[in-house]
Every structure is written in C-alpha cells, then in structure tokens.
Amino acid sequence: MPVEIAGFAQVLARCVDFDTVEPPELEVVLAEANEVLEMEFAEPSVNSTLIRSGSQFTHLLFVQHGTVVPLQYPYSELEAPFLIGDHEFLMEAERWVASYSAITESFVVWIPVSIMQLVVEHIPTVRSRMHQLVMRRLARFYWTSLATSGTASSRVAAALVSRLALSSTDSGQEREIPIRQKDLTRLTAMSRSAVADGLTALANERVIRLGTSGTSRFAGIVMIPDVDLLKDHAFEVVKGKEIRSLLSQSDEE
C-alpha cells in the first residue's frame, strides 16, 4: 500500500540513520520524489525471506514496526525503527549481500534507491551518519571473528570488544557492558562453563571486573578498566603465532 509522506517522515526521523534530521526537513525532500513508497505486512517466518542475498538492490527496507533478522552470523535482531540496506547503498551495490526475514509480525516500507539518493543530496549529514553506523557494524564483525578462535579468555575478550564496537565505545577507560552469559556463549561458540572460565581468567588478570562492585559472580554487567588491555588479551593467540613471509628472500638479498 502507498505511504503517506507526512506521517512517514515523522517515523523515519526516529531511525538512528536520521537522528540529526528534523521531520519537516525530511518531509520536504520525500515530497519531491517521483517514485512511491510502498508498505508491506510481513508475517514471521524464517522460510519466507523479505530480502534474498544476490537479488537486485533496487530499494532499501525500513522496518517501521516489528523485528527483522539477517540470516547470518553473528545473529542480530533489527527492531523498529531500523533501516536495512545502508551498507549496499553506500557501496552503490547492484545486489543484496545478505538475506533477511521477519521474526515477528512486521510492517516494512520499501524505499527506492533513487529516493534515498535524493535524501542524501539534500541532507548530506544522512550519508555521514550512515557511514558511521556501517563502520561500527563492520568493527563488530571484525571482533566477533576473533571471538570464535583461541583460548577461552581471548574469545571472551574479543566478544566483549565487539559489544563496545556497536556503540563506538571500544576505546578509553572504565567502560560498562551489560551482557548475558548466554550471549557470550553464542558469540564465542563455547559452552557456558568455558565462558565462565574465560571470564574468571580475565577477572583474575584484572582485565575486567564482574559487576559494578567488582564481585566475583557474573550478574550481567562487565566493567572494563582499560579497553586497550582488553584488546591485547583478545589478540593473545594471533600475536603468539609466527607469521611467515609470503615471499621468500634469497640469501643474496
């Protein structure tokens, strides 16, 4: 069904990609577009994909109500209001790089690429904000890749940094991370006991503190005295390996 521009501008402006934009400003730009915004109701189903990897990238997808997930690792729940496709848009991609499905009853709005191009031309801060958010997500993927190999403590350390990267707080001192043990289990692909061992080892090394009061029991809060020290422990296995030169040099050289 077609979307009413005035009401949609109010909702779209709540999305993190547009958090510096006033709804009236966005409404003026959307009203100039020649193409139509279409809303779709999506039933929860992992077998029915809203977006299929490799399909033509002609529209971005705005989750106005409900929750959509990318069918990839690490697992994420993209709750409304959320814009999907900013990565492909910035890359000027011809095809989608991932698949997505709704896991709750959702209302989504298909935004033609041409309309989003009009938005970033008139409101340049939107492109800058998109770039910031995409780089934040890429940082999360980088640290999550480290969280799936190595020792228990290095995996947990990398998983914790991945959470900091999501909020661009993966530097500095005295950072607080609210996280459940089952999330650490999922991110590290380890058992609960192995995650507990990793947390204990990091706490013993004073790389982390468990809870705001520094107790020895894990209660969903991890305090990071120094993020650089946490990153050093995440790199533990990588730095310990001998990296051989890809090109052998002769003795004469």
Side-chain angles (χ1 to χ4, degrees):
M1 68 182 75
V3 174
E4 184 181 338
I5 295 299
F8 181 64
Q10 292 282 341
V11 178
L12 188 61
R14 298 173 191 160
C15 180
V16 290
D17 297 78
F18 302 90
D19 62 359
T20 60
V21 181
E22 293 296 326
E25 183 181 14
L26 191 55
E27 182 181 337
V28 169
V29 178
L30 293 176
E32 292 183 15
N34 295 321
E35 296 190 64
V36 177
L37 299 165
E38 291 285 344
M39 178 177 287
E40 176 184 346
F41 172 71
E43 294 185 353
S45 173
V46 294
N47 296 319
S48 176
T49 54
L50 281 168
I51 299 169
R52 187 173 296 279
S53 173
S55 61
Q56 291 289 325
F57 176 65
T58 58
H59 293 68
L60 292 84
L61 184 68
F62 177 67
V63 184
Q64 183 165 320
H65 173 77
T67 305
V68 172
V69 299
L71 305 181
Q72 61 192 30
Y73 186 82
Y75 177 80
S76 297
E77 293 187 2
L78 313 179
E79 298 180 344
F82 196 91
L83 183 67
I84 301 173
D86 45 3
H87 191 179
E88 286 84 353
F89 177 76
L90 292 175
M91 292 170 56
E92 298 183 0
E94 295 183 357
R95 299 182 183 278
W96 286 95
V97 299
S99 297
Y100 298 81
S101 290
I103 60 169
T104 67
E105 291 187 348
S106 303
F107 285 96
V108 298
V109 178
W110 295 97
I111 305 176
V113 169
S114 60
I115 291 183
M116 192 56 66
Q117 288 172 338
L118 192 64
V119 170
V120 298
E121 287 172 8
H122 284 74
I123 315 174
T125 54
V126 173
R127 181 185 290 275
S128 299
R129 179 59 172 161
M130 283 184 175
H131 186 267
Q132 180 187 27
L133 293 170
V134 167
M135 292 303 294
R136 181 188 295 178
R137 293 172 202 145
L138 290 176
R140 178 202 178 198
F141 274 90
Y142 168 75
W143 288 104
T144 303
S145 70
L146 284 178
T148 56
S149 62
T151 64
S153 60
S154 70
R155 289 193 190 191
V156 171
L160 292 173
V161 179
S162 76
R163 280 304 177 94
L164 291 173
L166 272 179
S167 56
S168 293
T169 55
D170 55 329
S171 62
Q173 289 79 40
E174 296 302 328
R175 300 299 189 187
E176 179 179 316
I177 306 174
I179 189 169
R180 297 172 297 181
Q181 188 166 355
K182 71 175 185 179
D183 291 328
L184 285 172
T185 300
R186 174 173 49 80
L187 287 168
T188 57
M190 296 192 301
S191 65
R192 289 178 64 89
S193 61
V195 167
D197 290 342
L199 287 168
T200 300
L202 292 173
N204 290 340
E205 292 286 333
R206 298 187 178 180
V207 179
I208 65 173
R209 297 194 305 271
L210 300 178
T212 54
S213 60
T215 60
S216 58
R217 291 188 59 188
F218 180 68
I221 297 291
V222 178
M223 302 298 298
I224 313 299
D226 188 327
V227 176
D228 283 342
L229 183 58
L230 182 66
K231 288 181 178 180
D232 285 342
H233 278 260
F235 293 140
E236 182 181 57
V237 174
V238 178
K239 292 195 300 183
K241 292 182 178 179
E242 179 183 357
I243 302 175
R244 294 181 297 177
S245 174
L246 295 177
L247 299 176
S248 60
Q249 297 181 344
S250 65
D251 293 335
E252 295 179 353
E253 294 177 338

